[in-house]
Amino acid sequence: MEDKKVYRAHVLVLPYPSQGHINPMLQFSKRLASKGLKLTFAITLFISKSFNVVPERSGDSAVEIETISDGYDEGGFAEAESIHEYLRRMEACGSKTLTEIITKHRSSSNPIDCILYDPFLYWALDVVNKFGLVGAAFFTQPCAVNYVYYLVHHGLLKLPLVETPVSIPGLPLLELQDMPSFIYVQSQYPAYFDMVLNQFSNADKAHFVLVNTFYNLEQEVVDSMSKFCPLLTIGPTVPSFYLDNRVQNDKDNDLNLYKLLDPSICTNWLNTKPERSVVYVSFGSMACLSNEQMEELAWGLKQSNFYFFWVVRASEEPKLPKQFIGEIADKGLLVKWSPQLEVLSNKALGCFFSHGGWNSSIEALCLEVPMVVMPQWTDQPMNAKCVEDVWKVGIRVRVDEDGIVRREEIENCIREVMEGEKGREMRKNSKKWRELAIKAVSEGGTTDKNIDEFVSKLTYFKQQSLT
């Protein structure tokens, strides 16, 4: 049944269909809904059919679900012949079904006024302009990473990089290994390289550029990028329960593309451990370690002699050393997926051993958990650089000449964070960043003001379209 309530504006949200992009856009949607907007969240038909994806709804905070097609309705990305082909078909089928959604809502009491889209799907802006709607590009990655891509796309940073360190206004001096992986290894995943640069092919034509960060966290690079590309910082997109608690029933990332075990298994185990005694290990939804690296990580965790809670996806389980599980029963818990926010907020946590994905990094920052970072690809190397050298809340592991992080390095880094002098400084800095994150999203904070500005202008655009 159609919702007859008339809202300040109706926003259709279009994320790139992967867990790391869905989560922040959904969290932002819930915050917008709390400001009096109607929110519709578009997921692919494959995700809709394959997973339990309907978020918890509560009155005016409801976020409704729509479906679009990526051209692979039965198998999703795994069905595609290649990355290039997946992106090509998603543009064709996504544009068509996005058009159908907008058209369907035009005769309702709340026609769509704005498309909030992930600029990985830059073609969405063409659909926006066809209907004369408001287009808002939502960058899920940090400003530092976006700025590098912006400079490369516009020829302001020439590739290949032949001299290091690289000096970019607003950022520390960068070595090659500090750059996003698509920049320092251009031949790796050329389709993805084109995609991250194409984010800026038409972003200057969007009405808004929104970035999932908060001003104090990246103040210098935000100021530098804003000179070329005006933007609004609207993060961190961590559920409100863990920060300002101003959004009702906002405690979880509600669209989980991986099967969650009973969360009580995790929390019950953690609750039996002393405060700050557990190392939490998770590499997100996509990272795949080599057999050798999995073995080194396993024995490094065991050698550290700390309790550890390790998320090992089903696809990664065969890479574990055969005798490993039998030897760590008294010290370790292995699960296929976890309720990460609940885990990070548990007092037993002393360290997060992470791949350095942006969602994981910002969640750790907001929940006051220092990190050991082992970046794999895409934005993770630059996130790791900031974690270690800018925000000073973690340590980055060092790889050997074969590109492997050895067990001794893993053990030493964990010990440094858990019980070393640097670890004590990291905890102090983590507390500072948590306080600044709360301040940003609280009433009158930089993020809160920017969101209010977005909502106010969007409301104005709607009023103008009605006159």
Side-chain angles (χ1 to χ4, degrees), residues 83-137:
I83 296 166
H84 173 79
E85 187 61 19
Y86 178 78
L87 296 173
R88 186 194 69 79
R89 283 188 64 178
M90 185 172 192
E91 178 174 353
C93 298
S95 296
K96 179 177 181 292
T97 49
L98 179 59
T99 296
E100 291 169 356
I101 293 171
I102 296 169
T103 302
K104 180 180 74 173
H105 283 272
R106 290 185 90 175
S107 59
S108 73
S109 55
N110 288 288
I112 293 167
D113 303 292
C114 170
I115 306 296
L116 178 73
Y117 68 97
D118 189 318
F120 277 13
L121 310 177
Y122 60 91
W123 44 263
L125 192 59
D126 294 333
V127 181
V128 168
N129 292 335
K130 182 172 73 173
F131 285 93
L133 305 179
V134 175

Side-chain angles (χ1 to χ4, degrees), residues 15 60 102 129 210 336 376 440:
D60 292 344
I102 296 169
N129 292 335
L210 311 177
K336 291 183 174 63
Q376 301 300 299

